[in-house]
Amino acid sequence: MAVDGLDQTPYISSQQWDEALAAETKLHRLSEDGKRLIIDASHDGYLRQSAGVLHRRWLVLDKEEDGALVVVIWLTGMGEHSFVQSFHLHPDWQPEIDEYESGAWAAILRSRSPLVGTSDSVSSDIGGHLFWWKASGDQGSLRVEPEQGWQSKTYGSKEQIPVIRAKGCFTERLGLVTVSLPAGGEEWRVEKVHIDCLCHEAKVGLRNRFGARRLWMITDQTADTALLDFNQA
């Protein structure tokens, strides 16, 4: 995540960060059981720089959905700001991105390599799905775009990789939800999302190919799921 073009800690030269402005992190919550893993943390890196924004992030890994992951970003600060969220993909993956409703985006991740055990070189292996939502009422719209990036496996080397970047603007508060769903299984898809920036609450409604619905409810204190209709929550 970058805010107003800034990293959480300034990079001043090769392999060196600005220790005077180094972000300090705080772990608010860490819990794990047989159903899910929850990490809730924040850092003050943008507060120490010109952006003046506090960054808090929730990660919820739901083990009941074969590794489904919810990422909730909260940015809080005075005035207007821009942000960029980046996902660096494996070189073999190719994203197909589409805005499937107003302000909501989805990406299908396909493999560039042939399917195992076949000679077919056509890219047809779906590895997973990504979905994005930005809290309504914020200034500006959300854009999700593929770009060419790079990775360095060894010092001094570069290899091109695909990168997905979610970009937008906000005034004072931002709530951004990203959902990663694996391919296969019951094939859950995101149906509806509600984000409350003031109360720090996110609801993610899912629906699978059999018509069953599941609701994720995530707050400062809890993260739970239930099989029910999103509109009844």
Side-chain angles (χ1 to χ4, degrees):
M1 175 67 72
V3 175
D4 294 343
L6 301 172
D7 290 324
Q8 64 185 46
T9 297
Y11 188 66
I12 57 177
S13 65
S14 178
Q15 304 296 306
Q16 187 176 3
W17 301 89
D18 190 341
E19 295 184 3
L21 293 175
E24 291 190 3
T25 60
K26 181 177 180 180
L27 180 64
H28 301 277
R29 176 176 37 161
L30 173 61
S31 64
E32 183 175 11
D33 56 27
K35 294 183 178 180
R36 62 191 59 85
L37 168 67
I38 305 170
I39 303 174
D40 175 3
S42 64
H43 73 78
D44 65 356
Y46 308 127
L47 284 175
R48 293 168 176 261
Q49 302 180 70
S50 58
V53 171
L54 179 66
H55 180 191
R56 186 165 178 173
R57 180 178 301 186
W58 300 343
L59 300 176
V60 181
L61 178 65
D62 196 312
K63 300 176 183 179
E64 293 182 319
E65 306 303 338
D66 299 323
L69 176 67
V70 180
V71 180
V72 184
I73 299 292
W74 304 109
L75 297 178
T76 307
M78 300 298 294
E80 301 174 1
H81 303 275
S82 64
F83 70 90
V84 179
Q85 180 195 47
S86 301
F87 287 88
H88 296 77
L89 306 180
H90 187 277
D92 284 346
W93 292 107
Q94 178 65 37
E96 299 177 2
I97 300 173
D98 186 35
E99 184 178 19
Y100 69 96
E101 64 179 63
S102 179
W105 293 78
I108 299 175
L109 304 182
R110 295 185 183 273
S111 174
R112 301 174 188 266
S113 303
L115 294 172
V116 175
T118 74
S119 59
D120 185 6
S121 61
V122 178
S123 177
S124 58
D125 185 10
I126 297 178
H129 304 263
L130 290 169
F131 302 84
W132 290 264
W133 278 262
K134 178 171 170 279
S136 60
D138 291 328
Q139 179 191 18
S141 60
L142 177 67
R143 294 286 304 174
V144 178
E145 302 171 341
E147 295 184 6
Q148 194 68 49
W150 59 272
Q151 66 176 358
S152 178
K153 293 183 178 181
T154 59
Y155 180 75
S157 68
K158 283 187 176 183
E159 178 184 3
Q160 288 189 339
I161 59 171
V163 178
I164 300 177
R165 302 201 193 278
K167 308 175 182 181
C169 299
F170 69 97
T171 301
E172 296 187 356
R173 297 177 184 271
L174 170 72
L176 179 66
V177 171
T178 307
V179 181
S180 172
L181 296 174
E186 297 183 355
E187 297 183 4
W188 291 92
R189 296 293 180 268
V190 179
E191 187 174 39
K192 194 173 183 181
V193 172
H194 172 74
I195 307 169
D196 190 327
C197 292
L198 292 176
C199 298
H200 274 198
E201 179 181 274
K203 297 180 181 179
V204 179
L206 303 177
R207 183 173 182 172
N208 69 11
R209 59 191 177 96
F210 303 110
R213 286 184 168 91
R214 182 179 293 276
L215 175 69
W216 285 338
M217 300 180 64
I218 311 170
T219 70
D220 279 332
Q221 305 298 323
T222 63
D224 204 358
T225 61
L227 285 170
L228 47 76
D229 193 318
F230 184 89
N231 294 319
Q232 295 176 358

